[in-house]
Amino acid sequence: MRWHSVPGAARSAAAGLSRLRLLPRSPGALGSPASLANASLSRRSAQTPAMPAPRIPALCLGACLLLLLLLPRLARADGAVPIAITCFTRGLDIRKEKADVLCPGGCSLEDFSVFGNIVYASVSSICGAAVHRGVIDTSGGPVRVYSLPGRENYSSVDANGIQSQTLSRWPASFAVTSKRLKKTPEKKTGNKDCKADIAFLIDGSFNIGQRRFNLQKNFVGKVALMLGIGTEGPHVGLVQASEHPKIEFYLKNFTSAKDVLFAIKEVGFRGGNSNTGKALKHTAQKFFTADTGVRKGIPKVVVVFIDGWPSDDIEEAGIVAREFGVNVFIVSVAKPIPEELGMVQDVAFVDKAVCRNNGFFSYHMPNWFGTTKYVKPLVQKLCTHEQMMCSKTCYNSVNIAFLIDGSSSVGDSNFRLMLEFVSNIAKTFEISDIGAKIAAVQFTYDQRTEFSFTDYNTKENVLAVLGNIRYMSGGTATGDAISFTVRNVFGPIRESPNKNFLVIVTDGQSYDDVRGPAAAAHDAGITIFSVGVAWAPLDDLKDMASKPKESHAFFTREFTGLEPIVSDVIRGICRDFLESQQ
C-alpha cells in the first residue's frame, strides 16, 4: 500500500488500528478490575505462539481514515477538534472528565463490549455505549463522554441492537450524550423559578434495608421530577450514606429529568452503618465545587434522608455544611420509638444538623409507604430561595452602590483609574438575579444614575457598563449625591433581603454638608465606605463613613494608590455582612 497520499496523522491512526486486540465479551472472562485496566492488548507470553491480530473490517478502517481527514472541517464548524477513536476504544482510555470524541462508521454490533445502561463501566466500548444509548447509530458521529465514579451492579439492557452485560463492580464509569447539544430535545431549560444545586443524600445503611431503600429511591425520583430539572432550573446529584459515603453522580452529569430518573434507578444498595454525619461532611466539602458543576449565585442544598437515626455525630457535619454555605434539610422517616432512644447518640440530631432550627429545614414522614402526598410540600420548600439562609454569603447577598466623583479636579485619565477601582471590587461578587446587585451613580453638582440595581444581573454586563461610563466634569456636591442615591437607588429595593452598602470615591472637598445625608443613610441601614484621593479632607471621609470610622474610611494621595484599597473594602464588606448575620 502506498501512503504518500494519506496525511501523517491518518497513517499513525491506521498503524495503531492494525495492532488492536479485542477484549473478551463474557462477564466471566473479565477478571478483576485491576487486571483488566492494566492489561496490554498486545502482550503475549514468551511461551505462547504469537496469535495473528484480528482483522479490522475494511469499511471501519476506511471510515476511520475518512473521519481523520475531515477533522479540520469539523473543527471549523464546531469550534473544537473531537478526538478520533476506534470502534474498540474504551472509557478508561479517555483520561479527561469531559471529552468530545468521533466514532467511526462501519463498526459491527458484535464488536462492541458494553456493560451497564445509562451509566457504563469504563471497560465498555465508548462507541458501543453511544449506539446502545441511542446517541449515534452504526454510521458513527460525534459523542460527548463524561467520566463518572465507579459503582456496583451495572445492569444488562437490550437497546438499539446491543445487549449490554451485567457487571458486579468496576472502579470507574462514564456516560455519553450527543455532541450536538443544541439539537438534543432533552436539554430543556427547566423550572427557572427554582434555581438550586441539590444533593440528595440517601440512606444506604442496614437500618433501611433493601426494600425500603428502593422505596426511598422512588420517592427521590418523584421529587426530582417535580422540581423541573433543566439547564436553567434545578440541578441535582446523588450521594449514598452507608459505612463510607459514595457520590453516585454529580450536578454536572445530568440536566434532564429522564436521565436523572434512570441514574437513580441504577443506584445499588450498599449496606453498613448509617454514618450520616460522615456522609454529610463529605458532601459539603467535596460535592459542591466548580469542577463538579456547582453554579455561582445559586443556593446549595443537601436533602438528607434518615431512616431511623444516624450511627455517628451529625452535629459537627451540620456546622461544616453551614461554613461551606450549604443549606441542610433533614427528611426523617420512622423516628426511634421510646424503647430505642437509648441507642440514639443524640436525640436532637435533626435540630443540630439543619441549616436553621426553625422548622423550615426539617421534614418528617411516618414511613416509606404512600409518600406521594409528601412530594409537593418538600419541593415547595426546596424552591423557596428567600428561606435559604445558609446560602447567604457576603459574595452573593449584598447590594453595593458606587458613588463616583466626576468633578473637574479628577480629570479623564484619573477618572478611568476610579472606574478600574470600582470594577475590581464589583467583579469579586457573585452578581445574578438572585445574588449580589451592583449600581453606580456619578456626581458633580448634579447626579446621574449610570445604572440601578435592577438593570443588569450578570457580572459581564455590569463590568462592561462600568468600563463605558462617560466622565461628566463639574463641581463637587457630595452631600446632595448621597441623598440622591439613598432616595433613587436604594429606595426602590428597600424590601430586598440583601445587605446594603455604599462605596463613595471622591478626590476633593464637598461644597455642601455631608454629615447629615450620611447620617440619614446610616439610619436607613446602609453601610458606607468612604475612599478619598488627593485633596479629599479626612474629616469629610470620617463624617461619611460608618462606624468604626478607622475601618470604613480610606485615603490615598495618588489615584494609582486606589488599587491596594480594593481588598480592604472587600474584606470590610464581608466582615460587616457576617456581623449582621449573627
Side-chain angles (χ1 to χ4, degrees):
M1 180 178 293
R2 301 177 64 183
W3 291 95
H4 65 271
S5 61
V6 181
R11 285 202 301 273
S12 298
L17 286 170
S18 69
R19 293 192 294 271
L20 286 173
R21 300 291 189 271
L22 294 177
L23 281 171
R25 301 192 74 245
S26 65
L30 276 173
S32 69
S35 63
L36 259 177
N38 297 321
S40 169
L41 294 178
S42 61
R43 184 176 60 203
R44 292 292 182 269
S45 171
Q47 289 78 20
T48 305
M51 299 296 291
R55 185 169 59 87
I56 305 302
L59 180 58
C60 177
L61 178 58
C64 290
L65 295 176
L66 179 59
L67 287 172
L68 283 170
L69 291 169
L70 291 176
L71 280 180
R73 184 174 299 174
L74 286 167
R76 288 191 296 271
D78 200 47
V81 179
I83 303 168
I85 62 175
T86 72
C87 308
F88 314 102
T89 302
R90 303 164 298 176
L92 57 85
D93 298 323
I94 302 298
R95 305 289 184 177
K96 299 180 179 180
E97 286 193 2
K98 181 179 73 174
D100 294 328
V101 301
L102 201 56
C103 286
C107 297
S108 171
L109 296 181
E110 288 74 22
D111 291 337
F112 293 136
S113 294
V114 179
F115 300 89
N117 179 46
I118 310 294
V119 176
Y120 300 93
S122 64
V123 74
S124 304
S125 159
I126 293 176
C127 298
V131 173
H132 183 265
R133 186 78 175 90
V135 173
I136 60 172
D137 55 26
T138 53
S139 63
V143 176
R144 179 159 287 173
V145 184
Y146 294 93
S147 295
L148 299 174
R151 62 190 309 161
E152 299 172 353
N153 302 320
Y154 293 89
S155 61
S156 172
V157 174
D158 188 351
N160 300 312
I162 296 178
Q163 175 68 56
S164 68
Q165 302 175 67
T166 59
L167 190 59
S168 61
R169 180 180 296 177
W170 195 256
S173 310
F174 69 91
V176 290
T177 63
S178 171
K179 176 65 174 67
R180 302 182 182 92
L181 295 178
K182 293 182 179 179
K183 297 182 180 179
T184 304
E186 292 189 4
K187 295 295 180 182
K188 297 180 180 178
T189 57
N191 182 5
K192 295 182 180 180
D193 294 327
C194 183
K195 289 184 177 180
D197 288 339
I198 303 171
F200 292 112
L201 180 54
I202 63 174
D203 190 342
S205 69
F206 288 135
N207 270 8
I208 192 169
Q210 179 73 64
R211 183 188 181 202
R212 297 203 304 273
F213 178 78
N214 291 334
L215 293 173
Q216 176 187 218
K217 289 199 301 179
N218 290 340
F219 178 76
V220 172
K222 292 175 184 177
V223 172
L225 189 62
M226 183 169 283
L227 279 170
I229 296 167
T231 54
E232 298 181 35
H235 291 183
V236 304
L238 191 75
V239 183
Q240 185 174 173
S242 57
E243 193 72 39
H244 303 288
K246 184 173 187 299
I247 297 175
E248 301 289 352
F249 58 89
Y250 290 103
L251 298 165
K252 68 179 182 180
N253 295 140
F254 307 108
T255 54
S256 75
K258 179 181 177 182
D259 286 346
V260 168
L261 291 177
F262 274 116
I264 293 172
K265 182 181 177 182
E266 291 294 303
V267 173
F269 176 64
R270 294 178 62 82
N273 289 323
S274 56
N275 290 333
T276 309
K278 182 178 180 180
L280 176 56
K281 188 174 181 180
H282 180 78
T283 303
Q285 294 174 327
K286 304 296 184 183
F287 184 88
F288 295 102
T289 68
D291 291 339
T292 60
V294 73
R295 297 168 290 177
K296 287 187 175 182
I298 303 297
K300 295 178 287 189
V301 178
V302 176
V303 184
V304 184
F305 293 89
I306 300 178
D307 188 293
W309 60 90
S311 304
D312 61 350
D313 179 22
I314 198 172
E315 181 179 6
E316 181 187 353
I319 294 172
V320 171
R322 290 191 287 274
E323 289 175 349
F324 277 79
V326 177
N327 297 272
V328 177
F329 285 79
I330 299 287
V331 178
S332 58
V333 183
K335 290 182 177 179
I337 60 177
E339 291 79 7
E340 297 171 327
L341 290 176
M343 295 181 285
V344 182
Q345 185 172 338
D346 188 348
V347 294
F349 65 87
V350 172
D351 294 340
K352 293 180 179 179
V354 292
C355 169
R356 292 286 188 276
N357 182 20
N358 58 7
F360 179 79
F361 293 93
S362 55
Y363 199 67
H364 178 69
M365 299 190 299
N367 54 58
W368 289 109
F369 301 97
T371 57
T372 301
K373 61 185 177 183
Y374 297 104
V375 172
K376 186 175 180 180
L378 179 57
V379 169
Q380 289 173 337
K381 284 175 176 277
L382 298 179
C383 293
T384 309
H385 294 149
E386 59 272 17
Q387 294 285 348
M388 301 295 184
M389 300 302 297
C390 290
S391 285
K392 295 184 180 299
T393 70
C394 65
Y395 298 108
N396 63 21
S397 300
V398 294
N399 300 320
I400 306 173
F402 293 98
L403 187 54
I404 307 167
D405 188 344
S407 62
S408 302
S409 58
V410 174
D412 188 69
S413 60
N414 288 331
F415 184 74
R416 294 295 124 192
L417 291 175
M418 294 172 74
L419 294 182
E420 184 178 334
F421 168 76
V422 168
S423 296
N424 286 336
I425 295 174
K427 71 181 182 182
T428 305
F429 295 88
E430 298 174 10
I431 302 167
S432 73
D433 55 344
I434 60 172
K437 307 287 186 184
I438 305 294
V441 174
Q442 186 180 174
F443 72 97
T444 56
Y445 282 140
D446 299 317
Q447 306 86 31
R448 184 172 75 197
T449 302
E450 302 294 350
F451 59 93
S452 67
F453 287 122
T454 57
D455 287 339
Y456 304 104
N457 57 20
T458 69
K459 185 179 298 186
E460 292 75 15
N461 287 342
V462 166
L463 295 179
V465 175
L466 281 173
N468 288 318
I469 291 177
R470 299 190 318 276
Y471 175 47
M472 289 174 64
S473 186
T476 307
T478 312
D480 283 348
I482 295 173
S483 298
F484 174 88
T485 305
V486 171
R487 182 174 61 254
N488 296 290
V489 176
F490 286 101
I493 55 117
R494 66 171 54 91
E495 301 300 325
S496 170
N498 289 2
K499 182 168 176 56
N500 295 323
F501 292 89
L502 175 61
V503 179
I504 302 171
V505 190
T506 181
D507 86 321
Q509 184 169 9
S510 176
Y511 290 109
D512 60 359
D513 174 60
V514 298
R515 184 177 301 176
H522 298 156
D523 292 341
I526 301 169
T527 300
I528 296 180
F529 287 87
S530 58
V531 181
V533 189
W535 300 281
L538 292 177
D539 288 342
D540 280 5
L541 297 177
K542 290 180 179 179
D543 286 341
M544 293 186 291
S546 295
K547 295 179 181 179
K549 303 292 185 179
E550 60 271 12
S551 61
H552 290 81
F554 303 93
F555 177 81
T556 176
R557 293 194 177 279
E558 304 291 339
F559 282 88
T560 53
L562 285 171
E563 181 57 32
I565 300 175
V566 170
S567 58
D568 293 328
V569 173
I570 294 170
R571 280 196 298 266
I573 289 173
C574 285
R575 179 195 60 240
D576 291 347
F577 174 83
L578 290 174
E579 289 177 356
S580 72
Q581 300 298 300
Q582 300 301 317

